[in-house]
Amino acid sequence: MSEIVIAIIGGVFLVAAALVTYLGTRGKTNADAKAVLDARIDARVQSELSRVYTRLDEVEEAAVQRTSAFARILRSIARQWPNERGPDLDPSDISLIEDTIPPTWLRRAQPNNET
């Protein structure tokens, strides 16, 4: 009979040890899975941030070009205004800001009627 009790007590200890081991590694497994997920999220966020910063640089460069074109146009107008024909503006500057100028402001090329 004592052998059976000793075997039962040994079995209970083995089950308890297995349960403690399972519970101990379960938390570590969840922590490892969370760490892997966090690393994937961080990589995706970093990739997206890199893409956004690249796009912002492109937008900033276009804004600087447009602002420079405005400044050149205004300086050109100021220098040339006394001229009877009006200012002679650089077409490349006009093309940079063309979408911001109302169509009614644009001077259309007049056919040369001099005979």
Side-chain angles (χ1 to χ4, degrees):
M1 176 83 170
S2 66
E3 293 172 354
I4 295 175
V5 172
I6 292 175
I8 292 175
I9 292 174
V12 169
F13 278 123
L14 283 175
V15 169
L19 183 62
V20 167
T21 303
Y22 169 74
L23 292 176
T25 59
R26 182 172 164 238
K28 183 173 179 347
T29 303
N30 286 342
D32 288 346
K34 185 178 179 328
V36 168
L37 179 62
D38 287 346
R40 286 179 42 208
I41 290 171
D42 288 347
R44 288 175 60 188
V45 167
Q46 187 63 35
S47 170
E48 189 64 19
L49 280 175
S50 176
R51 186 189 67 77
V52 167
Y53 285 142
T54 300
R55 180 66 181 132
L56 281 175
D57 287 343
E58 293 169 1
V59 168
E60 182 181 14
E61 183 179 327
V64 166
Q65 285 179 345
R66 184 175 281 180
T67 303
S68 297
F70 272 121
R72 286 190 301 271
I73 288 170
L74 291 175
R75 280 193 300 271
S76 180
I77 289 172
R79 276 194 313 267
Q80 299 171 25
W81 198 258
N83 186 350
E84 71 236 14
R85 290 182 41 230
D88 181 24
L89 303 176
D90 185 0
S92 64
D93 288 340
I94 295 296
S95 69
L96 284 172
I97 64 165
E98 173 169 63
D99 60 332
T100 64
I101 300 173
T104 57
W105 290 11
L106 296 176
R107 186 180 347 161
R108 304 288 179 233
Q110 300 293 328
N112 193 351
N113 292 334
E114 295 178 21
T115 53

